[in-house]
Amino acid sequence: MMKTTALSTFCAAMMTSAAFAADIQTRKVSFENEGATLAGTLYLPADNRFNLASWEPWLTYDSVSLGAKLDKPALMVHSEAAAVPQGAHAFYALLPGEKSELWLDGVSQFDFYDRPEPVKIAAEAVAAHFSRTGAPQPVSLEDRAAIIGAITDIAAGADRHQWDRVRRAFADQVKLDYTSLWGGEAAIQPADDVIGQWSGFLPGFDETLHLVTNHSVTAMRGTTATVEADFQATHRIEGDLWVLMGHYRYELVKTNGAWKVSVLTMTHTHEAGDRGLVARAAERARQTR
């Protein structure tokens, strides 16, 4: 592998100015990192000045927190001797889905490029990971019917105020994500709390109707499944309506032979009517308790 590289972002920033362009020369530099020397090509102005502000987006970028949003099976290959192991541990801890890790002894970040042995170990681990997780698992008619049944129990049960039915369709802990509509942050909470919230305002409507259709099981791995569907939800108080349309994404787990929804993400695409009906329904429900 060629050990020369160019800091292209710095070079591009400098080359945008005609005043600097004539004053740029290519210099060979080296720098030390954990005992390893990497020769590189760095484009510098003749007086060797460097604007440290150009590092700010890189130094302040928070990649660790993004681990919580990675919902695909993940494999981490790293080493305590490589760069920022504490960040790798923190990122791995936030991964919410299927995950595995492989930590090698005494391997620097450069060894993962340059030393045949750690490269071979990492490549074989990655190949095994994709072989195990990448192949689609066929969905039986029985599983498909049970999955759609659980999704239907949530929608139809909520419309009919059959809260035991809704609760049975949820896992004990459930993540609800309505941020596309209301903003804020998605939260993981006990399913019993979700039932308490829904039963605290939905009965305040004169009628609700959640129609969920076009179910597609997009992934199934062992006892987990991902489903996408479209929805239209109508809410009525007297002559006033609020109609919401969009897509649902469900993640389910199979527990004791039954499929349960553990994640429900709603993405709204259209709405009509008065969103303020939600607050009116909550007040009406409080008055009738």
Side-chain angles (χ1 to χ4, degrees), residues 82-153:
V84 201
Q86 67 273 24
H89 285 296
F91 182 86
Y92 185 82
L94 290 175
L95 294 172
E98 180 184 347
K99 58 185 178 181
S100 58
E101 56 186 335
L102 175 63
W103 288 81
L104 305 183
D105 293 331
V107 176
S108 76
Q109 64 269 28
F110 302 114
D111 294 333
F112 282 113
Y113 297 94
D114 297 335
R115 282 179 51 200
E117 182 180 0
V119 169
K120 181 175 184 293
I121 293 173
E124 289 178 348
V126 170
H129 169 76
F130 283 116
S131 177
R132 178 174 57 84
T133 63
Q137 178 179 335
V139 182
S140 69
L141 292 177
E142 180 182 3
D143 278 329
R144 178 178 171 80
I147 288 169
I148 294 177
I151 292 171
T152 301
D153 284 341

Side-chain angles (χ1 to χ4, degrees), residues 71-72 139 144 147-148 151-152 211-221 224-232 246-252 261 263-267:
D71 57 3
K72 301 297 187 292
V139 182
R144 178 178 171 80
I147 288 169
I148 294 177
I151 292 171
T152 301
L211 301 176
V212 184
T213 188
N214 296 334
H215 305 83
S216 175
V217 181
T218 58
M220 178 176 286
R221 296 181 179 90
T224 65
T226 303
V227 179
E228 295 178 356
D230 302 324
F231 77 89
Q232 177 175 307
H247 313 294
Y248 282 134
R249 184 180 184 275
Y250 304 86
E251 294 179 26
L252 299 95
V261 173
V263 179
L264 192 165
T265 302
M266 184 270 285
T267 303

Side-chain angles (χ1 to χ4, degrees), residues 21 27 36 51 62 65 77 114 118 128 141 151 163 182 188 203 228 261 282 284 287:
R27 297 169 179 261
N51 181 4
D62 179 13
S65 64
V77 182
D114 297 335
L141 292 177
I151 292 171
W163 304 118
W182 302 110
I188 300 175
E228 295 178 356
V261 173
R284 294 176 88 208
Q287 294 174 357

